[in-house]
Amino acid sequence: MSHTEAAKKPLVLRNSNFGRLWISSTAGIFGTAVTSIALPVIAVTELDATNATVAVLSGMTFLPWLLFALPIGVLVDRHRRRPLIVVSLAVRTLLLASLPVAWWLDALTTVQLFAVSFGAGLAAVFFTLGEQALVPLAVNREELVEGNGLMTGSGALGDAGGRAVGGWVTDAWGASNALLLQVGASVASLVAILRLDITEPLPDRQKDRKVLRDMAEGLRYTFSTVPLRMLLITGALWNLGGNIVVSLLVLLVIRSLGETPGMLGLLTAATAAGGTLGGLSAKRITARFGSGRVWRYSMFPVVAGYATLLFITPGRGMTAGFIGLFIAGFSISLNIVVSTTFRQRVCPPEMLGRLGSAQRMVTWGMLAVAAFSAGLLVEAVDIRGGILTGILVAALAPLAAAFGPLRRVRDLADLEPPRPASNAADAGQPAA
């Protein structure tokens, strides 16, 4: 087959290593989506937790990013990434499997639910940072937009399927039993990672390098340029406001509107379905309009989409929410692909773990802060008042992008520093 003919094949077919990463990521996201539906429903229906408890629960998964992302990022840069991914996936699977076992034994408690959520989130820090650092080793620089688009799009599809199936299975089997789907998905993810054939560069383990120094280096790099700072600020603002909304959605749908967990799963799956289309369309849209423009304006439709949740009612009145969340998911995916690709292209390979950890410590750490904020807001201004507050906070993100220092940039690629042609990262790994 000629080089031209091979290039026409989808990346997942012409590059088997990327295909294995893609399978692992998609299966993992499917399982995570099931868990994201099951855990709050366990709290609501099986443990009869308070509104504030349910809202705070969603933040436990992301709290490890705020507390431990920086030191874990250093570990990811100092060790082979694949073994870290394998161990962390196995630990997370065992933790989540303990919940249905405890339910069968009539021993499940809110304390265990919070502890498992935190532990599973801590494991996710390891495999998420490790996976992100492996993508540039599996593809060359010119394939990053396509690769990130496929990862984001298929991940959103796995998220949509996981939420829809998770909602249905939660209705049919019970919320705790639904977590058995996550166990199966994690096994598939593990098998795919074990079949990777990527030669990782020898990690830097110089004895004179200190963990705190490496952590500080990653944090400094995250704030080192205007583009990286703006991506960080807008991501943090969006996650703070957006996750206040998401943290209260289960209470809005199940307790306020009296709908079923199945309806909750379908509603949140609309976001993921939109994300699938957005991820798969990202390469074409950024080529047409420019990645800078896509990054600046993609968050405005997300705010409008989330605002539809203020007007949903039971039954047919849920339609506005489905449409709004679909649009939100589409636009979020575009923003993620553009931001992720830019970071991967400008960051030296040996810094990828630390850049990812520092960036996510702030942006994903805001998801935990948002959940705790939602717990306070639901007591102070009720569910819809909390959702409105989250929407107003999230609106600050597109405003900062549209009127900030990058407001006239058409393509973020124009802001990349020059790289020597001999750089190993440009060469990537050959397709297996």
Side-chain angles (χ1 to χ4, degrees), residues 243-267:
N243 204 51
I244 288 175
V245 176
V246 172
S247 298
L248 297 176
L249 186 58
V250 61
L251 297 173
L252 176 67
V253 173
I254 294 180
R255 282 194 171 160
S256 291
L257 301 181
E259 292 286 354
T260 65
M263 178 61 77
L264 173 67
L266 290 175
L267 184 64

Side-chain angles (χ1 to χ4, degrees), residues 279-290:
L280 298 177
S281 305
K283 182 179 179 181
R284 184 172 64 254
I285 292 175
T286 54
R288 171 67 177 84
F289 297 103

Side-chain angles (χ1 to χ4, degrees), residues 3 9 48 110 134 142 159 177 226 235 247 258 271 307 310 314 371 384 394 405 416-417 419 432:
H3 177 75
K9 296 174 64 177
D48 195 28
T110 303
L134 286 181
E142 287 67 34
D159 194 33
N177 291 332
V226 171
S247 298
T271 307
L310 296 171
R384 289 184 186 267
E416 296 178 24
R419 298 169 68 98

Side-chain angles (χ1 to χ4, degrees), residues 139-191:
V139 303
N140 59 49
R141 294 183 72 227
E142 287 67 34
E143 293 173 329
L144 275 174
V145 172
E146 182 181 3
N148 285 322
L150 285 170
M151 294 282 271
T152 303
S154 63
L157 182 62
D159 194 33
R163 290 175 185 274
V165 173
W168 177 79
V169 172
T170 296
D171 272 341
W173 297 358
S176 292
N177 291 332
L179 291 173
L180 296 175
L181 289 176
Q182 192 276 340
V183 175
S186 292
V187 171
S189 186
L190 273 169
V191 170

Side-chain angles (χ1 to χ4, degrees), residues 5-16 18 146 150:
E5 291 174 333
K8 292 180 180 179
K9 296 174 64 177
L11 185 59
V12 292
L13 297 180
R14 69 177 186 264
N15 186 328
S16 58
F18 176 79
E146 182 181 3
L150 285 170

